[in-house]
Amino acid sequence: MNKKHIKTLMIQECASLMYFEGVSQYFDAKRIAAKRICKSKNQFFPSNGEISKAVYQLSLQDQHFDRADTLFRMRLKALEMMQLLDCFSPRLIGSVSTGKIKRSSDIDLHVFCDDIELLTTYLTDDKVLFEQNEVLIMKNNKPKLYQHIYIVNEFNIELSVYSVNELRVTSRSSTDGKPIVRMSRSKLERIIEQEHWESLIKM
């Protein structure tokens, strides 16, 4: 097999691992796929963006996944959470904002506060069940710890907590290297009205 063919197989295998086998991290998918296809740990690695596109194509081909209805319900849940967390300037990112969801997609929100206890106390007072964890992220080629909060609901919700002064700072996606688009609550409301008006009528 030539290099191009192997890379194509790698993309397909990585997408299958993430869509059907529950592998959540791109690096893990690449490592497993390389062992299966190349008998090696580091050959012919596709980009995260190439894998992401292949995963989305699998979701479009999945006849047992009602993508339109699921996206509508996820966006409503995201809006509900953003309304609850309005004082923390919530912004929606990721597949729920772009519409490119898959079965395992969760709701990713960025929230902004300088004291994590303010946020956790707020959630506790509102009887929201959550888990808290620290995640190491590279910022400007330097490692930095960020607090993440995980909420188990109808759909899993992940809150990435940033300082208030980072609200205007543009981060780049680990998937494709492009600037992360943060969607405000008002923008999400417009998207729901424009793209899901038929579902709104049926409610």
Side-chain angles (χ1 to χ4, degrees), residues 51-62:
I51 299 170
S52 178
K53 289 179 182 178
V55 171
Y56 180 57
Q57 288 301 314
L58 286 177
S59 74
L60 295 178
Q61 298 165 15
D62 188 347

Side-chain angles (χ1 to χ4, degrees), residues 81-83 85-92 109-112 183-185:
M81 184 58 61
M82 293 174 82
Q83 291 169 337
L85 299 173
D86 187 61
C87 57
F88 299 101
S89 305
R91 296 292 188 271
L92 177 66
L109 295 174
H110 285 184
V111 293
F112 301 86
M183 183 181 292
S184 66
R185 194 183 92 185

Side-chain angles (χ1 to χ4, degrees), residues 56-80:
Y56 180 57
Q57 288 301 314
L58 286 177
S59 74
L60 295 178
Q61 298 165 15
D62 188 347
Q63 298 180 357
H64 300 290
F65 178 49
D66 191 337
R67 194 186 68 84
D69 179 66
T70 302
L71 178 60
F72 172 60
R73 291 187 291 112
M74 292 185 81
R75 283 177 167 170
L76 286 183
K77 181 57 67 174
L79 180 60
E80 178 185 320

Side-chain angles (χ1 to χ4, degrees), residues 168-193:
R168 305 301 175 190
V169 176
T170 301
S171 301
R172 291 190 175 274
S173 169
S174 62
T175 301
D176 55 18
K178 296 180 180 179
I180 295 175
V181 178
R182 291 170 168 161
M183 183 181 292
S184 66
R185 194 183 92 185
S186 60
K187 177 64 179 298
L188 178 58
E189 288 173 341
R190 292 195 297 272
I191 291 291
I192 291 173
E193 290 174 357

Side-chain angles (χ1 to χ4, degrees), residues 27-203:
F27 177 78
D28 292 336
K30 294 175 188 179
R31 179 176 52 81
I32 296 169
K35 288 182 178 179
R36 291 181 180 179
I37 294 172
C38 309
K39 309 302 181 185
S40 169
K41 295 182 179 180
N42 56 9
Q43 288 186 334
F44 309 112
F45 273 12
S47 68
N48 293 352
E50 290 171 321
I51 299 170
S52 178
K53 289 179 182 178
V55 171
Y56 180 57
Q57 288 301 314
L58 286 177
S59 74
L60 295 178
Q61 298 165 15
D62 188 347
Q63 298 180 357
H64 300 290
F65 178 49
D66 191 337
R67 194 186 68 84
D69 179 66
T70 302
L71 178 60
F72 172 60
R73 291 187 291 112
M74 292 185 81
R75 283 177 167 170
L76 286 183
K77 181 57 67 174
L79 180 60
E80 178 185 320
M81 184 58 61
M82 293 174 82
Q83 291 169 337
L84 175 67
L85 299 173
D86 187 61
C87 57
F88 299 101
S89 305
R91 296 292 188 271
L92 177 66
I93 69 161
S95 60
V96 178
S97 64
T98 63
K100 295 182 177 181
I101 61 168
K102 55 185 183 293
R103 281 182 179 271
S104 60
S105 290
D106 55 10
I107 297 170
D108 292 307
L109 295 174
H110 285 184
V111 293
F112 301 86
C113 69
D114 293 325
D115 185 349
I116 187 66
E117 288 190 11
L118 289 176
L119 177 58
T120 56
T121 299
Y122 188 88
L123 292 171
T124 300
D125 289 346
D126 214 79
K127 296 181 173 56
V128 176
L129 299 178
F130 64 90
E131 293 183 1
Q132 184 178 342
N133 192 21
E134 288 185 330
V135 177
L136 187 66
I137 295 177
M138 297 298 294
K139 296 283 288 187
N140 300 319
N141 295 320
K142 295 181 180 179
K144 185 175 180 179
L145 283 174
Y146 282 90
Q147 296 288 337
H148 281 226
I149 290 176
Y150 304 93
I151 300 170
V152 179
N153 207 293
E154 177 187 2
F155 303 104
N156 292 332
I157 302 171
E158 180 175 354
L159 307 181
S160 300
V161 185
Y162 293 84
S163 61
V164 172
N165 62 13
E166 291 184 88
L167 178 57
R168 305 301 175 190
V169 176
T170 301
S171 301
R172 291 190 175 274
S173 169
S174 62
T175 301
D176 55 18
K178 296 180 180 179
I180 295 175
V181 178
R182 291 170 168 161
M183 183 181 292
S184 66
R185 194 183 92 185
S186 60
K187 177 64 179 298
L188 178 58
E189 288 173 341
R190 292 195 297 272
I191 291 291
I192 291 173
E193 290 174 357
Q194 294 168 2
E195 297 185 10
H196 303 283
W197 61 270
E198 290 182 340
S199 296
L200 288 171
I201 292 173
K202 296 176 182 178
M203 291 182 66

